């Protein structure tokens, strides 16, 4: 059996057995990837270019779009290349890089979603203090803390995971390098349990973020229901419901992927869960946020109108 020092590459999960089906998966993944790039790119551009969107809520949304772009760019390009060239290989360094960047981006996104719920809480429950609590310096500090915490979290897990001896081959049962799948290659159960224990502790902290988000929205809905104006209630719900939808999908699928017992693990289930937490959110988040947000829709419409103005001249 090879150990981790002799492994030069890993073999990722093949999405299909035949080259024709591999090409079909390539085009499907390419469509999803381009949709995610377009959606998140448009939101980033709209927020950056429209001065009406230079507010804390949209500043954090810009950060979320950038994290989503990074997240889906960490997993899909390699999967598309493997499907196109009918191969499964990824280098040891490339696998470690995938683990690092994916953990960094996902953990930073978790902290950012928590900050976004705090922003909505202050805006709706403490509107008189909003300008003080959510000034530009405070927003920049919180965003930097989310990104910085993600880096530290990812460094710890990546270093610990790839220091574990691997003796069960080099085949990873996933279309990207994922820690639970790499741990299945560990030499002993104690090595697996060591890193799994760290993951459980970390996910407990992430669960704490989810509880904070849930508590914030309980307070928000109580405040919204007390609003005398129906228009005010509608506006408040339109800024909160998209965030709640994103949080529910992202946190539930991510925690299930990393906390589910090994006894119920199967390649098909693992694949579906991985797609739900690493591919679906970056692709649908722009749609979720733009559907019920009139200001963002107006800014996006303004972007599409620019070429027509240019053509007039």
């Amino acid at each position: 059996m090879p150990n981790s020092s002799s492994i030069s590459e890993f073999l990722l999960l093949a999405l299909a057995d035949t080259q024709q089906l591999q090409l079909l998966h390539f085009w499907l993944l390419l469509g999803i990837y381009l949709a995610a790039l377009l959606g998140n790119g448009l939101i980033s551009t709209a927020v950056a270019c429209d001065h009406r969107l230079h507010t804390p809520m949209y500043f954090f949304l810009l950060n979320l779009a950038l994290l989503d772009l990074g997240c889906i760019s960490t997993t899909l390009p390699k999967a598309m290349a493997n499907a196109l060239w009918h191969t499964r290989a990824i280098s040891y360094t490339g696998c470690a890089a995938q683990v690092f960047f994916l953990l960094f981006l996902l953990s930073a996104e978790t902290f950012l979603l928590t900050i976004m719920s705090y922003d909505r809480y202050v805006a709706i429950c403490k509107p008189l203090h909003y300008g003080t609590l959510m000034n530009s310096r405070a927003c920049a500090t919180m965003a930097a803390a989310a990104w910085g915490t993600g880096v530290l979290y990812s460094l710890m897990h990546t270093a610990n995971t790839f220091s574990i001896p691997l003796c069960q081959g080099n085949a990873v049962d996933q279309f990207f390098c994922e820690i639970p799948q790499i741990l299945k290659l560990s030499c002993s159960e104690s090595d697996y349990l060591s890193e799994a224990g760290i993951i459980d502790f970390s996910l407990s902290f992430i669960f704490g973020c989810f509880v904070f988000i849930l508590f914030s929205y309980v307070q928000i809905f109580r405040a919204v229901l007390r609003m005398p104006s129906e228009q005010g209630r509608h506006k408040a719900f339109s800024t909160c419901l998209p965030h709640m939808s994103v949080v529910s999908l992202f946190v539930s699928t991510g925690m299930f992927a990393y906390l589910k017992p090994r006894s119920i693990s199967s390649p098909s289930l693992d694949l579906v869960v991985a797609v739900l937490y690493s591919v679906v959110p970056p692709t649908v988040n722009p749609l979720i946020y733009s559907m019920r947000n009139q200001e963002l829709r107006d800014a996006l419409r303004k972007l599409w109108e620019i070429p027509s103005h240019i053509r007039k001249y």
Side-chain angles (χ1 to χ4, degrees):
M1 284 292 181
N3 56 37
S4 55
S5 62
S6 65
I7 294 177
S8 61
E9 66 178 19
F10 291 92
L11 298 178
L12 299 176
L13 179 69
L15 297 177
D17 296 328
T18 65
Q19 190 167 5
Q20 290 77 10
L21 286 177
Q22 288 275 48
L23 288 175
L24 179 62
H25 282 100
F26 165 77
W27 289 111
L28 176 62
L29 294 177
L30 179 62
I32 294 172
Y33 185 55
L34 292 177
L37 290 182
L38 178 64
N40 288 288
L42 283 174
I43 284 185
S44 301
T45 305
V47 173
C49 296
D50 196 324
H51 69 277
R52 295 172 300 175
L53 302 184
H54 293 176
T55 63
M57 181 177 75
Y58 293 108
F59 169 73
F60 294 129
L61 183 58
L62 170 62
N63 279 264
L64 181 66
L66 294 176
L67 288 170
D68 281 339
L69 280 173
C71 182
I72 201 164
S73 296
T74 300
T75 57
L76 285 197
K78 183 58 180 175
M80 288 188 293
N82 283 357
L84 181 62
W85 302 113
H86 199 53
T87 182
R88 297 172 55 194
I90 182 172
S91 67
Y92 187 91
T93 304
C95 186
Q98 267 198 343
V99 169
F100 171 79
F101 283 109
L102 190 61
L103 281 178
F104 156 51
L105 295 162
L106 291 177
S107 56
E109 185 162 334
T110 302
F111 296 125
L112 185 67
L113 290 171
T114 306
I115 294 169
M116 292 173 75
S117 71
Y118 174 72
D119 170 69
R120 291 299 83 207
Y121 166 76
V122 175
I124 294 173
C125 299
K126 299 181 182 293
L128 298 179
H129 302 284
Y130 187 76
T132 303
L133 295 174
M134 302 301 295
N135 57 56
S136 57
R137 183 175 180 178
C139 291
T141 301
M142 286 187 282
W147 288 76
T149 304
V151 170
L152 294 176
Y153 173 88
S154 182
L155 276 174
M156 176 182 68
H157 281 293
T158 304
N160 191 65
T161 298
F162 285 90
S163 66
I164 293 175
L166 306 177
C167 304
Q168 306 298 321
N170 65 339
V172 179
D173 290 332
Q174 192 54 270
F175 69 95
F176 61 90
C177 286
E178 185 185 41
I179 285 184
Q181 302 301 328
I182 295 174
L183 291 181
K184 293 180 180 179
L185 308 178
S186 61
C187 292
S188 67
E189 188 70 18
S190 60
D191 294 325
Y192 176 92
L193 293 176
S194 174
E195 173 61 16
I198 297 177
I199 291 176
D200 290 346
F201 174 78
S202 302
L203 288 176
S204 297
F205 183 76
I206 294 174
F207 179 72
C209 292
F210 180 70
V211 171
F212 178 86
I213 293 171
L214 190 62
F215 175 78
S216 298
Y217 274 103
V218 169
Q219 301 302 314
I220 288 170
F221 287 139
R222 289 176 60 186
V224 169
L225 292 175
R226 290 197 296 265
M227 290 180 178
S229 168
E230 182 177 348
Q231 183 178 1
R233 290 196 298 270
H234 175 76
K235 184 176 181 180
F237 278 125
S238 68
T239 61
C240 294
L241 290 179
H243 181 251
M244 285 195 65
S245 303
V246 169
V247 169
S248 300
L249 175 63
F250 178 75
V251 175
S252 60
T253 54
M255 291 191 68
F256 182 76
Y258 282 84
L259 286 178
K260 68 180 185 298
R262 297 178 73 181
S263 59
I264 66 170
S265 180
S266 67
S268 57
L269 177 61
D270 293 342
L271 178 62
V272 170
V273 173
V275 169
L276 286 176
Y277 82 80
S278 67
V279 176
V280 173
T283 307
V284 303
N285 282 356
L287 182 63
I288 292 174
Y289 275 105
S290 60
M291 280 179 61
R292 297 181 60 88
N293 191 310
Q294 187 61 46
E295 290 179 332
L296 187 56
R297 288 204 302 270
D298 291 342
L300 291 172
R301 193 176 299 113
K302 188 176 178 181
L303 282 179
W304 285 112
E305 291 172 355
I306 289 176
S308 62
H309 290 305
I310 294 175
R311 285 195 295 269
K312 289 180 181 180
Y313 295 96

